[in-house]
Amino acid sequence: MADALAQNNPPAAPVDPAPAAPPSPGDRPASPAMFVFRAAFGGVLMGLANLVPGISGGTMLLASGVYPRFIGAIGELTRLRFRLWSVVTLGVVVAAALVAIVLGAGLIKDLVVDHRWAMYALFIGLTLGGVPVVWRLIDRKTPGTFVAAACGFVAMALLAVAQTRGSDAAGTTEAGWAMMLLAGVAGASAMILPGVSGGYLLLVLGVYIPLLAAIDTFRSALTDNFDMNVLWDVGLSVILPVGVGVVVGVVAVSNVLKVLLDKAPRATLGFLLGLLLGAVVGLYPFQQAVAPEHGDIVKGRYVRALADGTLLLESPVEGIEAEPLEKDDWPTAFFGPSVLTVAAAIGLIGVGFAVTIGVDRLGRDKPAPAA
């Protein structure tokens, strides 16, 4: 009898479970103190990474494991829904990023210029450390997940190649109010989107060096002699338009990503995972700054070498005075590393990987116990 019933009523086919939604930004984390630490860590890395062309701040935030909460928090606040942990998440990340940008603009730029291979190796490790973090966010891997990951990887690798070929040809642009507004939108969009370098976009727009110089000038005027004239001039011409652009870019991109994470989390996270892996292509560490020769073109200007070895940039536009060519603006070239350099780079990659994994383990949200 039982056999007959089983034949007449075969077991129902298993139902594909609905994809798990990303953590709600307003929910209380399992370890609030550790989550705040992890958010601050991600914010610092995001701020420092956006100072360096070729490194994505969004990648660093994704690697730290707070990316879905950060995107969700922006979405909630732009809809005027103020929940405690949404405000905390956004406030900690943004504050840490701003502090890192203001204090690290000069230091990070110098470290990358003088020790590029070491810094890039460290950032490779920090980036790769985020791979298991994102992998764990994908509740079930489907063919669409891997297709999206492959698309993200190819897109990021192509962008890395374009960066290598095009960064030295990037022209300089008059850094007016409109251009600074556009720079803020572009930089913020890249800051939110993992794998896209905000610093590189600023370099292409021709405002990377002027913007870093303005930030450093503003910091000096604020902390050294509190020069109100300088603060007013720089604030009105640079800080204000960039700030407005950052707000517009962050709100627009984060809300689009929030919708994608809600509607198609597996494919979206797969694409972000591909961007994360592809970002490593653009961080090939064994490259160094090379002094240009007389007559070369750097950022749309001609290089003139003086008898004492000083290099000047001369603009093709009449009336613009020549200015010294700093090492920050030298083009880069690949070099053949020694065995010791390769070993040191591998060690730095391991350090960066361990740091990201360690921070993730400290602040990881633990699932609630089953009833």
Side-chain angles (χ1 to χ4, degrees):
M1 186 68 172
D3 293 339
L5 289 174
Q7 291 177 0
N8 294 330
N9 299 283
V15 178
D16 184 27
S24 175
D27 293 346
R28 184 179 184 272
S31 303
M34 286 298 99
F35 174 76
V36 170
F37 172 75
R38 189 171 62 172
F41 175 77
V44 168
L45 288 182
M46 181 176 70
L48 295 179
N50 276 287
L51 295 173
V52 183
I55 302 176
S56 166
T59 298
M60 297 294 105
L61 197 60
L62 185 64
S64 68
V66 298
Y67 189 79
R69 278 184 176 268
F70 178 73
I71 294 299
I74 296 176
E76 285 198 349
L77 294 180
T78 54
R79 295 193 302 272
L80 302 181
R81 186 183 181 190
F82 300 97
R83 292 201 291 171
L84 175 61
W85 282 102
S86 296
V87 176
V88 170
T89 300
L90 189 60
V92 171
V93 171
V94 171
L98 288 176
V99 170
I101 289 173
V102 172
L103 298 182
L107 175 63
I108 291 298
K109 186 179 66 173
D110 292 342
L111 285 174
V112 171
V113 169
D114 297 329
H115 309 284
R116 187 180 300 269
W117 71 267
M119 293 297 293
Y120 273 28
L122 183 62
F123 273 104
I124 287 175
L126 292 169
T127 301
L128 290 178
V131 172
V133 178
V134 180
W135 183 260
R136 193 179 64 250
L137 292 174
I138 308 174
D139 65 322
R140 191 172 68 83
K141 288 74 180 174
T142 64
T145 302
F146 293 101
V147 170
C151 292
F153 179 85
V154 171
M156 194 61 243
L158 291 176
L159 180 59
V161 173
Q163 289 178 3
T164 302
R165 294 183 177 180
S167 61
D168 296 338
T172 54
T173 305
E174 185 178 354
W177 210 95
M179 182 54 62
M180 283 299 176
L181 179 66
L182 178 60
V185 173
S189 301
M191 180 174 62
I192 294 298
L193 186 61
V196 182
S197 167
Y200 176 70
L201 292 182
L202 297 179
L203 193 64
V204 170
L205 292 173
V207 297
Y208 176 70
I209 296 299
L211 182 56
L212 287 187
I215 292 174
D216 202 42
T217 300
F218 190 85
R219 179 195 58 79
S220 298
L222 187 64
T223 58
D224 295 345
N225 52 9
F226 203 76
D227 191 328
M228 283 301 300
N229 290 329
V230 174
L231 290 175
W232 177 260
D233 291 341
V234 176
L236 193 60
S237 61
V238 178
I239 304 300
L240 179 60
V242 169
V244 172
V246 165
V247 172
V248 173
V250 167
V251 170
V253 175
S254 61
N255 276 280
V256 171
L257 281 174
K258 184 181 184 304
V259 171
L260 292 175
L261 285 170
D262 289 340
K263 301 297 183 182
R266 291 169 183 159
T268 303
L269 288 171
F271 186 77
L272 294 179
L273 180 64
L275 291 179
L276 198 63
L277 290 169
V280 176
V281 177
L283 291 174
Y284 179 77
F286 305 121
Q287 49 185 308
Q288 60 188 357
V290 179
E293 298 180 355
H294 182 84
D296 288 349
I297 298 178
V298 175
K299 297 193 174 187
R301 300 189 182 190
Y302 295 97
V303 176
R304 177 159 62 96
L306 302 182
D308 60 358
T310 302
L311 298 177
L312 297 178
L313 279 182
E314 292 187 332
S315 174
V317 180
E318 187 175 352
I320 299 180
E321 297 183 358
E323 58 184 33
L325 174 62
E326 304 293 341
K327 191 176 180 181
D328 307 352
D329 298 326
W330 288 7
T332 58
F334 298 116
F335 68 91
S338 65
V339 175
L340 183 60
T341 303
V342 172
I346 293 174
L348 287 170
I349 291 173
V351 170
F353 185 89
V355 168
T356 303
I357 292 296
V359 171
D360 170 58
R361 290 186 181 277
L362 283 175
R364 182 182 301 178
D365 288 346
K366 299 178 178 58

